[in-house]
Amino acid sequence: MVLKAFFPTCCASADSGLLVGRWVPEQNSAVVLAVVHFPFIPIQVKELLAQVQKVSQVHVAVLGTWCHRQQEPKESLGHFLEGLGAIFSHDPWLQLCRERGTRFWSCKAYHQVSTTPDKSIEDQVMLIFYDQRKVLLSWLHPPTVLPDCQAGDTTASAGGLADIFDTVARSEVLFQNNQFDEGPVRLSHWQSEGVEASILVELTKQASGPVCLLLASLLSLLSAVSACRLWKLWPLSFIRRKLSTCEQLQHRLKHLSLIFSTQKAQSPTQLMKKANMLVSVLIDVALGLLLLSWLHNNNRIGQLANALVPVADRVAEELQHLLQWLMGAPAGLKMNRALDQVLGRFFLYHIHLWISYIHLMSPFIEHILWHVGLSACLGMTVALSILSDIIALLTFHIYCFYVYGARLYCLKIYGLSSLWRLFRGKKWNVLRQRVDSCSYDLDQLFIGTLLFTILVFLLPTTALYYLVFTLLRLLVVTVQGMIHLLVDLINSLPLYSLGLRLCRPYRLAAGVKFRVLEQEAGRPLRLLMQINPLPYNRVVHTYRLPSCGCHPKHSWGSLCRKLFFGELIYPWRQREDKQD
């Protein structure tokens, strides 16, 4: 039987002593956590292990002995190492030894309870070195397809090593409690020389409590104000549901409430989610402050206000030229003269009203833009959401044109389809939601034929107006969609996890791989366990944050079908379609 002994690399040069760790019978493995150095009193070692087991809920025991013969002669230990198995009874009993003057290791395991009289059974030991610090700080993810290893390497899935990682993680108290190192029992592990930046970490922990409590109280007050019944009245609820700015502010309020919550994270997933939200908010505010400084330098807000009215006049002029072209003979097509003139004048009147409104608001545009620019201090996403709402308001006349053309076109399409069923002796059964047979008299067929002919001859004119204004509306929706995608990227991108994957790849582990260190006849096999980091695409997929961005809810087929039949397509999602 082959026994796997996981030995920390930090203990390879430690003084001789006892191997303290956990035995995993399911894996037939021994996980060494620390080395207890000579001299020691056995009862103190047992008290230490009992204290660690009580705190960490990990069955920690003495697994065997460790002898570093390059530092101590064999005679100094004598028969003391052999007699320790009777004091610390553990089956199997490990004996690890590093030969003097060589790089070879001796690894043996004995079963003290043997069926053979006066003889113990010796097992083969496979010695696996691991970086204790990396294993402790890493979080092992579910198994995945690992990348190909180099020659001489072997791979292992994360599922079979979950107990190993869990043992090291739950034994953190053994590494961080200084009384274990300064007491009567002296240990060697990866933190034997001290904890880095422990003072800064403790000061941060002490200061974060009152600050989080104060901010949580303020955020709860804001949440109570936003949940007031006044906001549920019809005009305010409609505006709140349709404006991207309101949705983004509510989304950020939820993020801040979760970040500054005094409730401790229950799992590494929740802790990582909090860290990603905090970094996302900080990056968002930093980008917003950069935008705010850029807008207020060189009076760029005044320049934008002065350029807005001429741009609006230019757009209105181009729309008027477009309508005049449609009212003539566009592309040589022969339109219905009466309907063409009615639709053209109707839309020209809307353009006139819109330009009058823009000129009426022109004295206040600079003040509006100045206050809008101040909102960038809340974050780049808030500024982009306001920009999307401003584009929606400035192109409201194009939206009206699209709605008018789509409704008129849809009415004619459904009228033609209904009259076409009349010619075939069919009708739509509203109650059963199906097409049934029906017999019509002569008058009904005559009126149906007359209406069908009128709609057929009016359809090209209506379809042309619908096509032009639909293309304009799709152009506006595309611009808004790009802004929403940028907002969604800032909201949902797990920046902290990506930075952790870039700077500390071992923290997000997808599995491990083994590299052969020594493989000679008559010598134990020695391997080095290395952590395979999680791929970037899995990091984004695993830690992606929820967002309030506008995601398309239609496939390309359904979108084309709606456009063909004249059904309205809105750029926003209804509240019931959103997912938390």
Side-chain angles (χ1 to χ4, degrees):
M1 181 181 295
V2 178
L3 185 148
K4 298 181 287 294
F6 290 84
F7 190 79
T9 55
C10 57
C11 297
S13 59
D15 297 337
S16 301
L18 296 177
L19 299 176
V20 176
R22 179 194 175 195
W23 171 253
V24 185
E26 297 83 4
Q27 306 290 335
N28 196 30
S29 303
V31 184
V32 179
L33 298 174
V35 175
V36 179
H37 298 301
F38 299 109
F40 57 82
I41 301 176
I43 188 63
Q44 294 178 347
V45 176
K46 293 183 178 181
E47 290 177 355
L48 168 66
L49 299 182
Q51 185 179 357
V52 173
Q53 183 175 351
K54 181 180 179 180
V55 176
S56 62
Q57 301 299 321
V58 177
H59 183 67
V60 182
V62 177
L63 303 177
T65 58
W66 156 249
C67 179
H68 198 312
R69 291 180 179 172
Q70 292 183 352
Q71 297 179 357
E72 299 185 26
K74 182 177 180 181
E75 293 76 10
S76 63
L77 296 177
H79 298 284
F80 184 67
L81 294 177
E82 299 178 1
L84 289 177
I87 301 176
F88 304 98
S89 58
H90 186 272
D91 196 27
W93 183 258
L94 297 178
Q95 289 185 358
L96 302 184
C97 181
R98 188 171 182 180
E99 301 293 342
R100 182 190 306 176
T102 63
R103 60 181 179 86
F104 300 114
W105 290 60
S106 173
C107 306
K108 297 179 181 179
Y110 296 96
H111 286 274
Q112 299 181 13
V113 180
S114 176
T115 57
T116 305
D118 301 330
K119 184 182 292 186
S120 63
I121 302 176
E122 181 177 346
D123 286 345
Q124 295 181 356
V125 180
M126 179 189 300
L127 188 59
I128 302 175
F129 295 92
Y130 72 97
D131 193 324
Q132 200 171 59
R133 175 176 176 270
K134 291 184 178 180
V135 173
L136 175 66
L137 298 178
S138 63
W139 181 28
L140 193 62
H141 288 73
T144 183
V145 179
L146 300 178
D148 295 336
C149 299
Q150 299 178 358
D153 294 353
T154 57
T155 61
S157 64
L161 295 168
D163 292 336
I164 311 301
F165 279 75
D166 182 67
T167 298
V168 180
R170 291 168 60 188
S171 303
E172 186 177 3
V173 63
L174 180 64
F175 310 136
Q176 294 186 350
N177 199 337
N178 293 330
Q179 67 177 352
F180 296 156
D181 294 334
E182 299 175 357
V185 180
R186 187 169 61 94
L187 303 178
S188 281
H189 47 74
W190 74 278
Q191 282 190 341
S192 298
E193 299 179 357
V195 182
E196 299 178 359
S198 59
I199 298 179
L200 297 178
V201 172
E202 291 299 327
L203 290 177
T204 304
K205 289 181 179 179
Q206 293 295 331
S208 61
V211 173
C212 291
L213 184 61
L214 176 61
L215 292 177
S217 302
L218 295 176
L219 292 173
S220 62
L221 180 61
L222 290 177
S223 301
V225 172
S226 63
C228 182
R229 292 185 178 181
L230 180 64
W231 298 102
K232 297 182 180 180
L233 298 178
W234 175 75
L236 296 179
S237 63
F238 179 81
I239 295 175
R240 183 182 179 183
R241 187 169 61 251
K242 300 307 179 184
L243 291 181
S244 302
T245 306
C246 297
E247 294 290 331
Q248 178 60 28
L249 288 175
Q250 186 177 4
H251 183 70
R252 278 305 184 201
L253 183 61
K254 293 180 180 179
H255 277 190
L256 293 175
S257 301
L258 182 60
I259 290 172
F260 296 107
S261 175
T262 56
Q263 184 178 3
K264 188 177 180 180
Q266 301 297 327
S267 63
T269 304
Q270 295 182 1
L271 186 61
M272 189 69 71
K273 184 178 180 181
K274 273 191 174 184
N276 285 321
M277 286 184 179
L278 178 60
V279 174
S280 176
V281 171
L282 293 178
I283 296 296
D284 187 18
V285 173
L287 293 176
L289 293 177
L290 289 177
L291 177 62
L292 182 62
S293 63
W294 181 81
L295 288 175
H296 285 79
N297 288 337
N298 300 327
N299 194 24
R300 288 189 173 90
I301 292 182
Q303 298 175 6
L304 290 176
N306 295 331
L308 186 59
V309 176
V311 170
D313 291 336
R314 179 64 178 175
V315 172
E317 183 180 354
E318 294 296 333
L319 286 176
Q320 288 176 352
H321 291 164
L322 177 62
L323 289 173
Q324 291 174 0
W325 178 70
L326 292 176
M327 292 172 64
L333 299 176
K334 184 175 180 60
M335 301 287 103
N336 185 279
R337 182 68 176 175
L339 181 61
D340 196 10
Q341 292 295 322
V342 170
L343 293 178
R345 292 175 182 177
F346 178 73
F347 292 135
L348 285 174
Y349 179 69
H350 275 72
I351 294 177
H352 174 71
L353 290 178
W354 183 251
I355 290 301
S356 301
Y357 172 73
I358 292 294
H359 283 279
L360 182 64
M361 294 292 296
S362 58
F364 310 101
I365 290 179
E366 184 174 357
H367 299 283
I368 294 174
L369 291 179
W370 189 83
H371 287 88
V372 168
L374 288 179
S375 65
C377 63
L378 299 176
M380 175 66 79
T381 55
V382 177
L384 291 175
S385 300
I386 294 177
L387 176 62
S388 177
D389 293 334
I390 290 177
I391 292 176
L393 292 175
L394 292 178
T395 58
F396 184 71
H397 54 306
I398 296 179
Y399 173 72
C400 293
F401 296 164
Y402 164 70
V403 172
Y404 297 151
R407 290 301 187 191
L408 188 59
Y409 175 78
C410 182
L411 178 63
K412 291 189 177 182
I413 288 295
Y414 279 98
L416 288 173
S417 63
S418 179
L419 294 174
W420 178 251
R421 286 194 294 268
L422 182 142
F423 297 148
R424 297 183 294 126
K426 305 287 184 180
K427 73 171 183 178
W428 175 255
N429 192 330
V430 181
L431 297 178
R432 298 180 178 273
Q433 294 293 312
R434 66 184 186 185
V435 177
D436 295 335
S437 300
C438 181
S439 58
Y440 298 95
D441 55 19
L442 186 60
D443 295 337
Q444 291 174 332
L445 291 175
F446 174 75
I447 296 176
T449 304
L450 182 61
L451 293 176
F452 183 82
T453 304
I454 294 174
L455 292 179
V456 166
F457 282 103
L458 294 180
L459 181 62
T461 304
T462 306
L464 182 61
Y465 276 88
Y466 169 70
L467 176 62
V468 172
F469 292 126
T470 299
L471 293 178
L472 292 176
R473 179 59 184 167
L474 289 178
L475 178 62
V476 175
V477 170
T478 302
V479 175
Q480 287 184 285
M482 295 176 63
I483 296 176
H484 291 163
L485 287 178
L486 183 57
V487 172
D488 180 73
L489 182 65
I490 299 176
N491 283 334
S492 62
L493 196 64
L495 298 175
Y496 176 78
S497 299
L498 290 174
L500 202 63
R501 170 62 179 84
L502 179 64
C503 302
R504 299 288 188 271
Y506 58 84
R507 294 290 299 272
L508 305 176
V512 299
K513 63 181 179 180
F514 297 102
R515 185 164 61 88
V516 178
L517 297 179
E518 179 185 358
Q519 188 177 12
E520 296 183 6
R523 295 288 180 177
L525 177 63
R526 289 195 296 138
L527 304 175
L528 177 62
M529 186 178 74
Q530 298 175 335
I531 295 178
N532 276 328
L534 200 66
Y536 284 99
N537 57 346
R538 283 201 62 198
V539 172
V540 175
H541 178 73
T542 304
Y543 298 107
R544 186 179 181 88
L545 297 172
S547 176
C548 66
C550 179
H551 299 279
K553 60 180 180 181
H554 302 294
S555 62
W556 286 107
S558 63
L559 179 64
C560 295
R561 186 188 66 81
K562 286 180 175 292
L563 290 175
F564 179 78
F565 288 103
E567 299 180 15
L568 295 181
I569 298 179
Y570 296 98
W572 55 74
R573 294 185 302 171
Q574 302 296 331
R575 182 171 295 275
E576 58 269 17
D577 295 333
K578 293 169 60 176
Q579 298 178 356
D580 295 333

